[in-house]
Amino acid sequence: MKSRKKTKAILKRLLLGSWCVLMLVLTFFLIKYIGKLSNAGTYANAGSIDTVSDAYRKQNTVTKAPVTEAPVTAVPTPKAEFLKEYEHLGEAKEVFAYESGIAYGLRYPVYEDEAWSGAVKAAAEELLAAQLEELSGVKAGERKLVIDYEDGTVGELVSVLFRIEREIDGVTESEKEQWIFNKKKGETVDAETLFADRAYVYIAEQVNEALAKETDEVTGAELSDAPAGEAEETEQELTGNRETFSSYLLTADGAEFYYEVNGEEESVTIPYAALHTYMAVTVNGNVVADSIRELDPDKPMIALTYDDGPHYINTPRLLEILEENGARATFFVLGERTLYTESNKNTVKMIYESGNELGSHTHTHVDLATLSAEAIVAEITNARETIYELTGEYPTFVRPPYGSYNDTVKKYANAPLITWNVDSEDWKSRNTDMIVEEVMSMAADRRIVLMHDIHTCTVDAAEILIPKLIEEGYQLVTLRELFYYKGVELENGRVYHNGYN
Ligand code: ZN
C-alpha cells in the first residue's frame, strides 16, 4: 500500500510537471508573438511618420521662421548653450533655469553661519524675482539674465556685491547691487547709508589726486611729440557723491569703491582707518550715529569735554541730557577705569553708540611730562587699544592729564593733543551754580571747555548749562565736529587749545 501510494504520487508529480512545462512553452511562444506584434506596431508607426512628415515639417518650418516674419514668437536661447557658457560660475549655490524665453542664472554665496547665509539667500532670491519680473515685461525675443557675485568680510560685517547682467536681443546692460550684513546684530545694514556723504567727498579727493598724477605722467611722456593742448583731455574730475561711487565691497583691506572713468570700471580701496569716522556701523558691528552731524559752520560752536570717566551713573545721565538737547560732547576716558567694571565698559560703548566722541586720557592718569618715551607710548597705546576693543574705533585725540606735556610727549603721542581754554573748575568748586556761572561767563565761539563727568555736581550743572548755551545760539559739538567745521587741520603731536587753526 505504501508503494502504490508512492507510485500514484510520482505519477501525479510527473503529470503536474509536464503540465508546467507545457504552460512554460506556451507562455514563451505567447510572449514571442506579442513581442512581434508590438514590433510590428513600432514599424507601423515609423511608417506613419513618413506619411505625415510633410505636415510635420510644415509646422516645424513655421516655428523656425525668421523673427521678422513672426515677431511675437520668442526665439529661445538653447538651455544647454546657456548652461555651458556659465558653468564656470560653480562653487556656491546656483540656480539655472529657462522659462518662456528667459534663460537665467543666479549665484550667491553659502556661508557656514545659518543666519547670514539665510539672509543672503533671501536677498538673492528677491533680486532674481525682481529682475525676472522686469524682464518678462520686455517684449523681445531672446532674453538672458545672469546674477553673479563677489563677497568680502571684515570684522563683523559681511559684504556681497551682486553683478547683474541682462541681455535683451543681444544688447547687454549691467548693474550692481550690494548687500551688507552685520553679524553682531544679526541684521542687514542699509548699504546706502553705511557711509556718510562726507565719505564720498573724501574718496573723490583721493581718486582725483591719483588721476591728476596719472595725467601728469602721461602729459610728461607725451610732451615731446604730442601737440600742445591735447594733454588736458585725459583729465577727469570725479564728483564726491554717492552716484559717482554707487557700489562698494567691504574687503579685509578696506572698502573697495567702484566708479567709472571714460566708460571703464575702476575701483579704489580705502582703508577703514581713513573711513571709520564716516561709518554708521563700525567694522566690529557697533551701530553709531553719524559722527559728524549736519551743522551750520557759520554759527558759533563750543566743544564741551568731560575727563576722568567713565562713571557708570553720572555718564549715562549726562548722555541723556545731551541727547534731549541735541547736543554732543567729547569724553576723555581713562583706560584703567574703563576696564575696572563691566558697567564702566558698557558706559564707554554707550558714549560711542550715541555719537558722542571718545578720547584718550591715558591709561592711569599719570603726568606724561614726567615719563620716558617708552612709558608715554605705553600709557597712550593702552588707552587707545581699550577704546578700540570696545568700540571698533581708535580715538582721534589725546588729552594729557593735568594738561601737562613736553617735547617728548608731543613726539610720541601719535595723536593731536587737546587741552582747553575754558576751565569750569568743577574739580575745585564742586558747586553746580559756580560751574554754570564760570562756563557761561567764558562762553565764546570755538572754545573748548574742561569738565569732569565723575562729579555729580557737573552733571547737575549740565542740566542748566546745556540748554542755556543753546539758547545763546551755540552749537554744542564734539571736537571732531569743531575742527571739521572750523577748518582746523589736525596734526599728530600738535597741541590744540581751541578751534582756531
Ligand atoms: Zn584728568
Side-chain angles (χ1 to χ4, degrees):
M1 185 155 149
K2 228 182 176 180
S3 67
R4 248 188 78 199
K5 245 187 184 172
K6 207 179 177 180
T7 318
K8 225 179 168 180
I10 289 170
L11 207 75
K12 213 176 172 182
R13 215 177 280 170
L14 265 172
L15 264 170
L16 202 75
S18 24
W19 176 243
C20 281
V21 170
L22 187 71
M23 283 309 286
L24 268 170
V25 171
L26 271 172
T27 313
F28 175 76
F29 280 108
L30 195 71
I31 286 170
K32 249 198 144 179
Y33 177 71
I34 289 170
K36 214 172 177 182
L37 261 184
S38 63
N39 272 347
T42 311
Y43 295 135
N45 274 346
S48 72
I49 276 186
D50 268 336
T51 56
V52 295
S53 64
D54 280 353
Y56 184 82
R57 269 200 212 107
K58 214 176 165 192
Q59 235 177 29
N60 213 25
T61 317
V62 171
T63 327
K64 280 190 175 171
V67 185
T68 44
E69 276 179 43
V72 189
T73 317
V75 179
T77 306
K79 189 182 174 187
E81 192 187 296
F82 175 77
L83 291 180
K84 200 174 172 224
E85 195 178 340
Y86 292 100
E87 67 191 0
H88 69 277
L89 294 182
E91 287 170 24
K93 176 77 181 168
E94 301 157 40
V95 180
F96 285 111
Y98 178 77
E99 265 168 39
S100 45
I102 307 171
Y104 64 87
L106 164 71
R107 197 174 79 115
Y108 57 89
V110 176
Y111 301 113
E112 269 175 40
D113 185 287
E114 274 177 30
W116 29 301
S117 211
V120 75
K121 181 177 187 272
E125 281 168 354
E126 200 179 300
L127 183 62
L128 176 69
Q131 288 289 328
L132 284 178
E133 202 191 319
E134 211 178 289
L135 270 182
S136 62
V138 177
K139 283 225 158 124
E142 197 170 318
R143 283 156 292 169
K144 200 152 79 179
L145 169 70
V146 174
I147 303 174
D148 198 3
Y149 77 92
E150 286 164 59
D151 69 341
T153 73
V154 55
E156 294 288 333
L157 302 180
V158 184
S159 166
V160 177
L161 183 68
F162 290 105
R163 288 183 177 273
I164 305 155
E165 228 174 67
R166 285 184 302 263
E167 198 182 305
I168 303 163
D169 282 339
V171 180
T172 311
E173 311 169 339
S174 61
E175 63 178 279
K176 296 190 273 291
E177 188 158 319
Q178 61 217 98
W179 178 87
I180 316 275
F181 192 76
N182 184 348
K183 292 190 270 174
K184 188 177 178 181
K185 301 273 176 188
E187 62 192 22
T188 51
V189 174
D190 183 1
E192 280 278 300
T193 57
L194 179 59
F195 295 99
D197 289 339
R198 285 164 299 96
Y200 296 94
V201 175
Y202 175 80
I203 301 156
E205 276 170 14
Q206 305 300 305
V207 176
N208 285 334
E209 217 170 274
L211 285 176
K213 233 184 232 171
E214 249 171 55
T215 311
D216 284 350
E217 277 164 23
V218 172
T219 315
E222 283 178 352
L223 263 184
S224 48
D225 19 76
E230 222 175 70
E232 271 164 71
E233 281 179 0
T234 41
E235 198 159 349
Q236 189 184 344
E237 282 263 307
L238 294 178
T239 316
N241 61 27
R242 232 169 268 274
E243 287 67 43
T244 310
F245 305 96
S246 58
S247 54
Y248 58 81
L249 188 66
L250 304 177
T251 72
D253 302 329
E256 188 177 3
F257 290 88
Y258 292 89
Y259 59 96
E260 273 190 17
V261 175
N262 304 322
E264 295 276 314
E265 187 187 88
E266 304 267 352
S267 78
V268 59
T269 301
I270 311 275
Y272 298 108
L275 287 171
H276 64 66
T277 58
Y278 309 126
M279 290 175 79
V281 181
T282 65
V283 296
N284 73 348
N286 285 332
V287 179
V288 274
D290 191 5
S291 64
I292 295 183
R293 299 163 293 167
E294 296 296 328
L295 298 166
D296 185 350
D298 301 324
K299 260 178 80 181
M301 292 182 180
I302 286 181
L304 301 176
T305 65
Y306 293 92
D307 288 11
D308 298 358
H311 188 285
Y312 76 109
I313 294 170
N314 290 335
T315 312
R317 205 187 127 208
L318 180 55
L319 289 175
E320 252 174 60
I321 299 167
L322 287 163
E323 173 83 42
E324 279 165 14
N325 289 282
R328 283 193 190 167
T330 304
F331 293 80
F332 285 104
V333 298
L334 294 166
E336 194 180 45
R337 185 193 285 270
T338 298
L339 294 173
Y340 193 59
T341 62
E342 279 307 306
S343 49
N344 280 4
K345 285 185 198 170
N346 284 335
T347 305
V348 164
K349 286 184 194 166
M350 278 173 73
I351 296 170
Y352 186 70
E353 294 193 359
S354 61
N356 288 282
E357 187 164 8
L358 279 162
S360 159
H361 197 34
T362 74
H363 195 63
T364 63
H365 206 276
V366 66
D367 182 350
L368 292 175
T370 66
L371 300 182
S372 68
E374 230 174 39
I376 292 167
V377 171
E379 272 292 332
I380 290 173
T381 309
N382 281 347
R384 256 171 72 83
E385 289 298 330
T386 301
I387 293 171
Y388 179 78
E389 268 163 42
L390 293 170
T391 65
E393 184 176 338
Y394 285 111
T396 308
F397 305 109
V398 168
R399 169 163 285 162
Y402 318 104
S404 166
Y405 56 88
N406 58 18
D407 286 344
T408 319
V409 175
K410 289 205 267 183
K411 191 174 169 189
Y412 292 97
N414 196 28
L417 296 165
I418 309 293
T419 56
W420 56 87
N421 59 356
V422 176
D423 185 351
S424 68
E425 294 189 338
D426 58 347
W427 52 278
K428 206 158 84 184
S429 71
R430 303 286 180 97
N431 180 297
T432 303
D433 293 339
M434 284 172 85
I435 296 166
V436 174
E437 209 187 298
E438 187 64 34
V439 175
M440 288 313 295
S441 68
M442 295 289 286
D445 185 27
R446 305 189 193 214
R447 290 209 161 160
I448 299 174
V449 183
L450 171 71
M451 287 183 281
H452 300 81
D453 54 326
I454 45 168
H455 305 312
T456 309
C457 59
T458 302
V459 182
D460 290 341
E463 234 161 31
I464 306 160
L465 195 58
I466 288 171
K468 232 178 174 168
L469 286 168
I470 292 169
E471 222 181 86
E472 293 207 354
Y474 292 104
Q475 300 175 93
L476 302 181
V477 299
T478 62
L479 286 167
R480 195 183 272 163
E481 288 171 328
L482 176 70
F483 295 134
Y484 175 78
Y485 282 110
K486 300 300 178 185
V488 178
E489 268 178 44
L490 297 172
E491 282 167 47
N492 289 350
R494 195 174 142 188
V495 183
Y496 298 80
H497 308 281
N498 54 44
Y500 287 96
N501 225 334

